[in-house]
Amino acid sequence: MNNKNNDHNPEIEQILDILRPTDVVELKVVDGDSSIFIRRPKPTTPNNLSPTDKKPGEIAMPRETRPLVIKSPLVGTFYFSPSPDKPPYVLVGNHVGVGQKVGVIETMKIFKDVTSNVRGKIIRVLVESGQKVEYGQELFLVEPEEPKNV
Amino acid sequence: MSRKNPKMFKKVLIANRGEIACRIIRACREMGLKTVAIRSEVDSNCLHVKLADESICVGPGPVLDSYLNIPSIISAAEITGADAIHPGYGFLAENTYFAEVCESCGIKFIGPDKDSIARMGDKVAARRLMRKAGIPIIPGTEEPVDINSADLAKVARRIGYPLMVKAAAGGGGKGMRLVRNESELIPAISIAQSEAKIAFGNPAVYLEKYIEEPRHIEFQIMGDSKGKVIYLPERDCSIQRRHQKLLEESPSVFVSDSLRKKMGRAAVRAGEAIDYLTVGTVEFLVDKKKNFYFMEMNTRIQVEHPVTEMVTGLDLVKEQIRLAAGEKILVDSDDITIRGAAIECRINAEDPEKEFLPSPGKIEQFILPGGPGIRVDTHGYAGYIIPSFYDSLLAKIISMGENRAEAIGKMQRALREFIIEGVKTTIPLHQQILNNEDFLKGEVFTNFLHKHILGGTDGK
């Protein structure tokens, strides 16, 4: 089966859906006398971008590398470390993973961890330690990182 | 009154949005106080954000995560250095816990003491308290009802049908249901409980006798830290849809000088019973024989406060802030003169032709009415997108005339002048009400809208 046209073929769509969150670059499926060959560019953005960001058919397109953002989950005072004598959780150039602590926010005398919701390398810090931050304020810019090949 | 008060606040955070936040910011500005607006992520373009000196985003669109998010709001006050929080109406205005947290964080809650809110906020406890203070109450249950109780039907029968299910923590018509007969009782309690839980975080409901064709007449009261409580002239809020007020006026055509004194004094006793501080409202139902019953007390500024401002010349929001800062009331109830008649029409972004379906979206055109005797409190403007997360109140038109007929004439003119395009509004409904013969005669009861305008087609 040669599917040069961009017809909606449920089988191919299904395969693409399976491939979407993986690192697979090429795939050939032979079934009797029909075959499907899929080639994808190496992913330039990490997998944690929500699949809903992409329209069907868009996945095979190379995309620009846009920095990811770690935002403040709370209103309060932001600190890089849990206390002044402790080193900061992260610095520019550090790699962060999903769920990793990147700072704390003091809100109503309680310290709450700020964790990364993205994976990549910290390329810019947008706030200072001790700065007042509002909900949704951008804290760090993160360069998306290719997932390690296993 | 304008003497410098060293205890006056420096910076007030307004824990609300929309028209009431704008109203409070204006009062603060006139008093020389700095203002902090809070906003949700979808409210960046809301007018209150533009009017305030600064604003803080406290969470995403849903109210539980933003305008009801106590840690976020307190934190916003702390990081901006606000020394007082004005809660407006709705949201956290009658939340005892919020008032308590404010107090423990050293931030003044502009409103009554937390104990007063607690005592009136629990409508069941309030009824008991009012009965003790010698204020007539509507017959009903002393305690919240248990939907699984075997006695429930018996209790309801003793009160007699029709009866009302009401949220113990309630107000504003949420968590309220009319029950005509026994078969409706359980479903009504169940729905009222779910509504009450969403609206107030407390599902408790109680039962109350339903009074046929009453008027809803309420009294604004003010109390100071010396224990002085005064009442202001009444507001007639009988024009309602499903217990949501739509049109309010002051004074009421039904209330004579002597009835005003009698009811006003009862309202003062209600305030005194809970050591009431700042501004509040005591609501009564009045039957055709001029018997009045305490319904509830709202421990906050109310949506319809402007009609009282128009007829008395007082600025109630400024008074509220002054009283919260410990200042004294310098006038007596008897000193207040009624300077004319005022009417307020609530313009909601709703489609009256489609069962009042909310009509969020972009306002394409917004041309305000004006001229002598017209005031408009609104957060609307052309280009503003009304979000779907919040209530539908878009504007309040207030008209003031020498007498009721003149106020009506001015309101009719204002409704014609007001142009809102892009969203549906309740303007056509108000035009109908203001042309209705019974309304013009002052024959208004809480079932007026249902009976005369909606032709009995509007559910309950």
Side-chain angles (χ1 to χ4, degrees):
Chain A
M1 188 201 307
N2 193 345
N3 195 46
K4 269 183 188 165
N5 312 330
N6 208 7
D7 287 343
H8 284 284
N9 181 321
E11 260 177 72
I12 293 181
E13 297 243 341
Q14 211 179 351
I15 293 170
L16 288 176
D17 274 338
I18 294 165
L19 290 182
R20 202 163 283 141
T22 71
D23 304 330
V24 175
V25 177
E26 287 186 357
L27 177 76
K28 191 174 180 182
V29 181
V30 184
D31 182 9
D33 50 7
S34 74
S35 69
I36 300 167
F37 179 63
I38 295 169
R39 178 185 283 156
R40 306 197 304 162
K42 287 194 171 184
T44 52
T45 52
N47 299 327
N48 46 44
L49 273 187
S50 140
T52 54
D53 289 349
K54 304 167 188 173
K55 289 179 193 126
E58 209 190 348
I59 53 154
M61 305 297 265
R63 60 162 85 219
E64 273 178 56
T65 308
R66 268 177 311 162
L68 306 168
V69 183
I70 302 174
K71 292 181 179 178
S72 171
L74 292 166
V75 181
T77 310
F78 179 82
Y79 299 99
F80 291 109
S81 61
S83 70
D85 52 334
K86 295 254 169 66
Y89 282 128
V90 288
L91 295 166
V92 172
N94 284 171
H95 291 263
V96 289
V98 174
Q100 188 178 331
K101 283 181 200 170
V102 293
V104 289
I105 289 182
E106 184 194 341
T107 182
M108 297 178 71
K109 319 269 184 277
I110 290 166
F111 285 90
K112 291 195 171 154
D113 291 333
V114 181
T115 54
S116 174
N117 55 336
V118 297
R119 171 154 67 171
K121 186 170 88 178
I122 305 251
I123 52 169
R124 233 178 114 191
V125 179
L126 303 168
V127 286
E128 286 168 30
S129 209
Q131 186 176 324
K132 323 277 187 206
V133 294
E134 57 183 354
Y135 174 84
Q137 186 164 339
E138 301 189 346
L139 305 175
F140 299 93
L141 292 187
V142 175
E143 188 178 76
E145 197 171 79
E146 273 182 41
K148 287 187 195 92
N149 287 320
V150 196
Chain B
M1 282 199 190
S2 60
R3 256 174 299 142
K4 273 258 160 51
N5 170 9
K7 284 200 291 188
M8 183 47 77
F9 318 114
K10 308 278 179 294
K11 200 191 244 190
V12 178
L13 179 140
I14 295 94
N16 215 299
R17 63 178 304 282
E19 73 85 17
I20 193 62
C22 296
R23 169 74 188 88
I24 297 160
I25 292 166
R26 285 176 172 139
C28 290
R29 184 148 295 153
E30 287 177 24
M31 297 172 84
L33 313 179
K34 293 251 181 294
T35 52
V36 182
I38 59 164
R39 62 175 205 277
S40 71
E41 272 183 318
V42 302
D43 258 351
S44 296
N45 290 318
C46 195
L47 192 62
H48 73 284
V49 175
K50 297 174 196 275
L51 289 185
D53 294 314
E54 57 188 309
S55 85
I56 294 278
C57 179
V58 292
V63 293
L64 276 172
D65 300 319
S66 48
Y67 296 104
L68 291 176
N69 184 338
I70 294 176
S72 257
I73 293 167
I74 297 287
S75 205
E78 284 181 342
I79 69 172
T80 53
D83 52 357
I85 293 182
H86 195 307
Y89 52 67
F91 295 134
L92 297 169
E94 288 169 281
N95 185 311
T96 317
Y97 175 67
F98 182 61
E100 212 174 292
V101 175
C102 287
E103 193 184 297
S104 70
C105 293
I107 299 163
K108 182 73 192 176
F109 175 84
I110 299 179
D113 187 76
K114 62 180 194 308
D115 298 325
S116 309
I117 306 176
R119 280 191 276 176
M120 278 302 179
D122 180 341
K123 308 294 174 198
V124 174
R127 282 164 52 83
R128 211 178 301 136
L129 194 68
M130 291 302 107
R131 214 182 42 184
K132 263 192 208 154
I135 298 157
I137 57 164
I138 303 165
T141 56
E142 289 272 303
E143 299 295 331
V145 291
D146 176 0
I147 197 162
N148 299 315
S149 158
D151 289 341
L152 192 59
K154 213 199 290 171
V155 169
R157 241 170 289 151
R158 206 179 307 136
I159 297 165
Y161 292 99
L163 57 78
M164 294 294 296
V165 181
K166 286 186 166 186
K174 305 259 165 58
M176 235 191 218
R177 279 290 180 284
L178 173 65
V179 184
R180 293 186 184 281
N181 54 55
E182 199 161 318
S183 70
E184 292 177 1
L185 183 63
I186 299 286
I189 292 176
S190 166
I191 288 177
Q193 283 178 332
S194 328
E195 265 185 28
K197 184 143 195 278
I198 293 167
F200 315 109
N202 175 0
V205 297
Y206 65 96
L207 307 181
E208 200 174 81
K209 170 94 188 129
Y210 179 69
I211 298 183
E212 306 264 7
E213 291 215 322
R215 289 169 196 262
H216 172 124
I217 293 175
E218 61 184 31
F219 279 76
Q220 182 75 56
I221 62 164
M222 301 203 296
D224 69 16
S225 52
K226 300 277 176 218
K228 178 170 178 174
V229 179
I230 67 165
Y231 72 88
L232 302 180
E234 76 285 352
R235 294 186 287 252
D236 190 321
C237 312
S238 301
I239 310 281
Q240 310 181 345
R241 177 179 170 270
R242 297 186 176 179
H243 311 289
Q244 298 265 16
K245 297 164 190 165
L246 265 174
L247 182 151
E248 302 95 347
E249 54 182 308
S250 181
S252 165
V253 285
F254 189 66
V255 175
S256 61
D257 285 346
S258 66
L259 183 61
R260 178 172 304 121
K261 253 194 181 129
K262 211 166 134 192
M263 291 179 72
R265 282 180 184 158
V268 165
R269 279 205 304 280
E272 285 169 347
I274 58 164
D275 305 314
Y276 198 77
L277 184 67
T278 74
V279 302
T281 296
V282 184
E283 297 185 338
F284 297 103
L285 281 183
V286 186
D287 70 16
K288 287 178 179 161
K289 293 175 187 151
K290 303 203 173 184
N291 295 313
F292 62 91
Y293 303 95
F294 171 84
M295 199 167 21
E296 59 182 46
M297 178 166 175
N298 296 305
T299 54
R300 53 167 156 87
I301 192 78
Q302 283 193 291
V303 176
E304 61 273 24
H305 75 275
V307 291
T308 305
E309 295 186 323
M310 298 298 262
V311 298
T312 60
L314 290 167
D315 183 316
L316 293 176
V317 179
K318 283 195 203 169
E319 289 299 322
Q320 185 184 24
I321 296 170
R322 276 194 338 98
L323 293 169
E327 292 187 24
K328 281 184 275 185
I329 297 172
L330 300 171
V331 292
D332 289 310
S333 303
D334 294 338
D335 299 338
I336 307 283
T337 51
I338 300 175
R339 312 195 306 178
I343 298 175
E344 173 184 275
C345 288
R346 299 190 189 190
I347 311 303
N348 297 334
E350 290 170 357
D351 188 350
E353 304 220 319
K354 287 191 184 147
E355 294 178 346
F356 296 83
L357 199 69
S359 179
K362 186 172 179 182
I363 301 176
E364 301 290 350
Q365 174 97 270
F366 198 77
I367 301 173
L368 291 174
I374 294 296
R375 160 180 169 182
V376 185
D377 282 17
T378 180
H379 58 288
Y381 58 88
Y384 174 59
I385 298 167
I386 302 171
S388 54
F389 290 104
Y390 313 112
D391 78 40
S392 57
L393 180 62
L394 176 62
K396 305 185 304 204
I397 311 177
I398 304 101
S399 73
M400 166 81 179
E402 258 182 61
N403 49 48
R404 187 173 189 261
E406 196 185 56
I408 290 172
K410 283 178 189 286
M411 183 61 84
Q412 286 168 328
R413 168 178 73 72
L415 289 168
R416 270 186 76 158
E417 288 175 17
F418 205 168
I419 297 171
I420 303 174
E421 283 170 16
V423 296
K424 297 277 185 203
T425 74
T426 48
I427 290 176
L429 178 77
H430 284 293
Q431 285 174 317
Q432 259 181 291
I433 297 169
L434 270 90
N435 281 319
N436 179 280
E437 268 182 40
D438 285 286
F439 175 80
L440 295 174
K441 283 188 281 185
E443 292 291 309
V444 287
F445 308 102
T446 55
N447 64 354
F448 171 88
L449 201 72
H450 175 59
K451 194 167 161 186
H452 296 290
I453 305 292
L454 304 171
T457 57
D458 182 50
K460 280 148 193 132

